[in-house]
Each structure stands twice: as structure tokens, then as C-alpha cells.
Amino acid sequence: MRRIENRYVLSVIYALLTAYALFSVIPFFWTTIQSFKTPRQANSRVPLFIFEPTTDNYTDLWLKTIPDDPLLVVAVLVAIFGLLAFVGMQARRFPFPRGYVYLGILAVGFAVLWSIPGYIRTQTFYDYFLNTIIVTFGTICTSISIGCLAGYALARYSGIAGVIILVTALGFRSLPGMAYILPYWWFGQRSGLYDTHILLIITLVAINQPFTIWMLRSFFMNIPKEIEESAMVDGANRLTAFLSVIIPIMWPGIISTALFTLLLAYSDFLLVRILTQSNWTLTVAISKYAAGEDPGHITLAAAAAVSAAVPIIIVVFIFQSQLVKGLTSGAVKG
């Protein structure tokens, strides 16, 4: 592909990209502004851009009672998660496999989040946040584990059965979400798993697994067979070669696929709303505030939307280098 040299064409392209970026960012920017307003300011006839910001919306959303020293609590939490983020960005420098480092970070982070209600009286929204974390990471771990094995097998198998499996998986992935709801709702009612994290994880894995397999297969296709064959010549079996040789090479692709799976599971609304009665995730919880008739719910809904978006922004920011490397080295070539 030839590089565009005409500066006028480049100016038009940059202008269009800038306009599209603004079109995408402005709604979130406005929602963030609304989250720091009082209900009266948010419902003003004339939009207010200059006002005295307040954090009451976030306090009412997350906490039942404010701690005696809120700044200390915030500082401790920021320090803990900042340290975990730094460890995650420096994972390659440790004398351990990066997978173990990431699992350790997730375990420590979840333990901290799980223990917070024992020290601070939190609102129901915090329970929805924990539900989201459990469902999302349960979906990611299950999908990536199955997808790596299936994608590797389909990348190395050249028979007609592999093509049939891939086409069938793509066909199931193209079905609308409503096609899955009634069977899984019936399964949840019969098995007693209705309104549980397990049912949500099973459903989201089943729906997103074809995408995971296709994406990981494209990454495995770009890894030469000679790499694991060399390890097998040295005495390793296929599973050992897969875990010790192929997976370390595949980390950018695995992280890219995990991020897309995270976005799909994190933002799902319809399945979570129908398959749960109280164990909602953040996307469903936001509708609880957005659909209210009380004008004060506008600012709470804005605070909830911003609170739900911030974790995704942080995760993508931490793993952006692996995401770009993975997409440019595998998925776009597949």
C-alpha cells in the first residue's frame, strides 16, 4: 500500500479523523461534566459549562456513609492499585512467567476490592461492580483457556473437519442474542442457576467463544510449525511445547483477544437483564438510575456511567502496547 504524499489529501484525512474523534469523545465528556453537577444544574434549560463541581453524586452512588478520613482511604486505594498497575506494566522484567504475574495482580486486586465492604459501608452499586468483575474475569479465563486450545488445534489441523467446525462456530456467532436467551433462561430455571454468576459466565462464554477461537486461530496461523517441532525434537511433548514455547510467543495475541472478550462481557446488557434478578452487572445497574422519573437520577446515572467506563479505560491504557502489537502481528493478517 502506497503512502499518501499529497498534503491536501492528508489534511482532509486528519480533519475527518479529528472530527470523528470529537464526535466519539464529546458524549463521554458531557456525561462526565453532568456527573459533577447538582440535579438543578444538570436540568437547567441552558447547558452550564461553568459551575461549582460537587462529588456528592459519586458519594451517594458508592457509599452509604462517608469514612472519618476519606482522603486517607482514597490515597491508600490509589497507592495499592497504582502499584499493581506498575507491576503489570513491568511484568516482563520479573523472573517469572508473565501469566503468573498477571494472575497475582488480579488475585491481590480482587482481594482488596472484596474486603472493602468490611471497612466501609458501601451502596448496592458496589455489589454490582463486584458482580461485573466476577462475571467478566470468569468469562475471560474460561474463553481464553478453551480458545487457546481450540485455536491451536484448528491452526495446525488442515482437514475438512476443521473448516466445518470454524464455519459452524461462525454461524452460531452470527445468531442474534435473543436466540440464546430462552434456552439459557430455561436451563437456569431447571438447574437452579438462575440469577447466579455461573449461569452468566456459561452463557457469555458460549456466545463469545466462536469469536475467541477465530481470533486466536489467526494468531497461531502466523507462528511457524518449526518452533514447536524443534521443542519436540528436544524431548518435549506437544502439550509441553504448546505451554512452554508457543504461549509465551502468543502473549500479545492472547492479551488482544482477552481485551475484546472483556469488552463483550463487560458491556452485555440483554442477557444479564433477563438471566438475573438481583445479581446485576454495571450496564444493567446504570439503567436503574437512567430510567427513573426523579430528576436527581440524571446526575446519578451520569456518575454511574463514568464509574463503569473508568475501569475499562484503565485496563486498555495498561495493555495498549500489547493490544497494538497483537493486532498488527496477527489478527489483521489472518
Side-chain angles (χ1 to χ4, degrees), residues 43-60:
N43 290 280
S44 174
R45 288 179 176 271
V46 180
L48 298 177
F49 293 95
I50 300 176
F51 58 92
E52 184 178 353
T54 177
T55 58
D56 291 343
N57 298 314
Y58 290 95
T59 302
D60 296 339

Side-chain angles (χ1 to χ4, degrees), residues 288-299:
K288 174 182 177 181
Y289 304 99
E293 297 180 359
D294 186 354
H297 284 180
I298 294 178
T299 55

